[in-house]
Amino acid sequence: METLEKKAAEMLQKSEVVVLTSINQEGYPRPVPMSNIKSEGATTVWLATGKDSLKTKEFAANPKAGLCFQEEGNSVVLTGKVEIKARQQEMWQEWFSAHFSKGPTDPNYVLLKFKGHHATIWIDGHFVRRNL
């Protein structure tokens, strides 16, 4: 399992886009492709979004989330929770300016921190489900 987790972490590090799923008001999952800003191991992902976005509102009401990423037939699916974090200067990337005109101090700029609690991993023909 340690080798699979290492490979999953390497995949996540290279994944520019991940799919993050919130739960909407009707109880349905709502997947959204998002830019992977920073990852920690194979289970923690930081993403930037607007404080006024629908996903931020959905996570404020229900922090349960799903996140997945894939590469060349390999895939990792995580379930866990999202924390809404205040904007952080050290996470700022210049391309965010297209979304947050006031830069890293824009009051609408927030971060989502996804932390996985359960993983389903399919890498190189090996399949594992486990709690993290």
Side-chain angles (χ1 to χ4, degrees):
M1 182 61 194
E2 187 175 313
T3 302
L4 281 183
E5 282 188 27
K6 183 179 178 188
K7 287 182 179 184
E10 291 168 0
M11 277 177 52
L12 181 55
Q13 184 71 31
K14 293 187 286 185
S15 294
E16 291 182 25
V17 175
V18 297
V19 176
L20 180 67
T21 303
S22 57
I23 305 298
N24 70 17
Q25 290 180 346
E26 293 81 33
Y28 290 98
R30 194 176 74 84
V32 178
M34 295 188 71
S35 295
N36 175 5
I37 304 308
K38 178 183 175 185
S39 61
E40 299 166 6
T43 61
T44 302
V45 182
W46 291 83
L47 311 114
T49 194
K51 184 177 183 179
D52 63 358
S53 73
L54 180 57
K55 72 183 111 355
T56 302
K57 292 173 185 171
E58 289 172 344
F59 287 125
N62 182 352
K64 292 180 181 176
L67 186 136
C68 65
F69 52 97
Q70 62 85 34
E71 176 188 62
E72 298 177 10
N74 296 321
S75 63
V76 177
V77 176
L78 302 166
T79 54
K81 293 190 176 182
V82 165
E83 293 177 58
I84 302 165
K85 301 286 194 175
R87 59 192 176 269
Q88 294 183 359
Q89 179 84 23
E90 66 273 9
M91 296 276 198
W92 180 260
Q93 296 182 16
E94 283 308 310
W95 67 268
F96 291 177
S97 296
H99 305 282
F100 307 106
S101 61
K102 296 178 183 169
T105 60
D106 192 311
N108 195 39
Y109 163 53
V110 295
L111 294 168
L112 302 178
K113 180 183 180 183
F114 172 87
K115 176 69 176 159
H117 300 294
H118 184 271
T120 303
I121 301 173
W122 172 262
I123 296 179
D124 298 334
H126 299 282
F127 180 77
V128 173
R129 286 187 184 148
R130 68 174 234 136
N131 291 327
L132 303 170

